[in-house]
Amino acid sequence: MTMQPVSLAAISCSIFEDLLRDYTHELTQRIHRMSKLALQKCQRCNTYCRQHCTKPGFDIYANNIQTPSSIPYYQCLSCRREIAASRYAAHMEKCKGRSLSSATSYASLLDGDNSNDED
Amino acid sequence: MTTERISEQLHENGDYDRLASDLEYKLETCGWASQLRDYTRGIARENTGIDFKKLYEITLQTATESIPDSIKMEIMKDIKSSVLKLASPSEGSENQKT
């Protein structure tokens, strides 16, 4: 099948326009959505901070930032000390030489504690 | 063969998606995409609550007028070779045999 050069150029132009339209449509959709969301009140801080939140304790997207004062603490099953959540696994690795991988169950850890208490 | 049929075949054989990815890559690399995004954001901010259709029309017009000629030529060349490949599939298969 032969194709006339003029027809080929016209077809190529048409397809190129389709490609550009699709690209522009997707880009506009994303930006329009973001601009609409920016007009809505943030559910976390109840202000119009969608684009840029300046409230302390939140990042620019109004997500909660964990500060040293806000990190939860949990009691170690082994030594009964209060350990920060972010350090809990590392502490369990070292606490009295026991590790989570070596413990068969939490019950065994608790049994170990009971025996230590008796000593 | 109509333009619609050719476009359909390009979608079927994956060439359309490949061309779309190439176009996106080239536009991002040269910084044009970033400029278009900034422009569109500016329009959206100046006209709060603007209708999507209106925003799209403005953006498309700007994109069509400002797209770099070099990129347009490269993509058009790619499109032409893809279309010619559809038009003469027997040549392609002969090349594969040899």
Side-chain angles (χ1 to χ4, degrees):
Chain A
M1 186 184 102
T2 57
M3 200 172 276
Q4 297 296 326
V6 173
S7 302
L8 178 58
I11 289 167
S12 304
C13 262
S14 171
I15 292 169
F16 179 79
E17 280 167 15
D18 285 344
L19 286 167
L20 188 61
R21 250 197 299 272
D22 288 348
Y23 178 80
T24 309
H25 192 271
E26 201 181 314
L27 184 146
T28 312
Q29 218 171 22
R30 259 181 274 158
I31 289 170
H32 186 261
R33 181 179 176 269
M34 283 178 69
S35 69
K36 279 287 182 187
L37 287 171
L39 295 174
Q40 294 174 8
K41 258 191 183 179
C42 168
Q43 289 176 8
R44 286 181 189 272
C45 59
N46 212 33
T47 60
Y48 296 99
C49 68
R50 184 74 193 190
Q51 289 287 336
H52 182 63
C53 177
T54 55
K55 203 172 175 190
F58 294 88
D59 64 17
I60 60 167
Y61 301 110
N63 296 318
N64 228 335
I65 298 171
Q66 224 177 36
T67 58
S69 57
S70 66
I71 293 173
Y73 280 69
Y74 299 102
Q75 194 180 53
C76 172
L77 295 171
S78 181
C79 63
R80 306 288 184 197
R81 281 169 57 197
E82 293 289 322
I83 309 295
S86 54
R87 294 289 308 155
Y88 197 84
H91 170 78
M92 287 302 290
E93 288 279 324
K94 293 174 187 171
C95 183
K96 295 187 180 177
R98 289 177 216 168
S99 67
L100 284 173
S101 55
S102 63
T104 53
S105 67
Y106 282 114
S108 66
L109 283 173
L110 290 171
D111 287 342
D113 289 338
N114 289 338
S115 61
N116 287 338
D117 287 342
E118 284 167 6
D119 293 338
Chain B
M1 215 190 262
T2 61
T3 309
E4 288 81 18
R5 181 65 192 136
I6 289 171
S7 183
E8 213 177 277
Q9 285 186 321
L10 288 175
H11 273 98
E12 280 168 16
N13 66 16
D15 274 347
Y16 190 89
D17 288 338
R18 182 185 56 79
L19 290 164
S21 298
D22 282 349
L23 176 65
E24 185 180 348
Y25 177 77
K26 287 179 161 74
L27 294 175
E28 290 286 347
T29 309
C30 72
W32 181 89
S34 173
Q35 288 172 14
L36 185 68
R37 272 194 292 270
D38 290 343
Y39 173 78
T40 309
R41 272 189 211 115
I43 300 285
R45 274 188 206 128
E46 283 168 23
N47 308 280
T48 44
I50 187 171
D51 186 40
F52 169 77
K53 195 178 169 188
K54 184 76 184 156
L55 184 65
Y56 171 61
E57 279 169 13
I58 296 169
T59 308
L60 181 61
Q61 191 183 357
T62 307
T64 308
E65 287 168 4
S66 68
I67 188 163
D69 286 337
S70 56
I71 291 175
K72 189 174 176 180
M73 290 300 122
E74 281 173 33
I75 299 293
M76 290 275 284
K77 195 176 161 187
D78 230 343
I79 293 170
K80 280 177 189 170
S81 55
S82 299
V83 172
L84 284 171
K85 204 168 64 177
L86 286 176
S88 49
S90 56
E91 287 177 11
S93 60
E94 280 172 11
N95 287 338
Q96 281 172 10
K97 283 177 188 171
T98 54

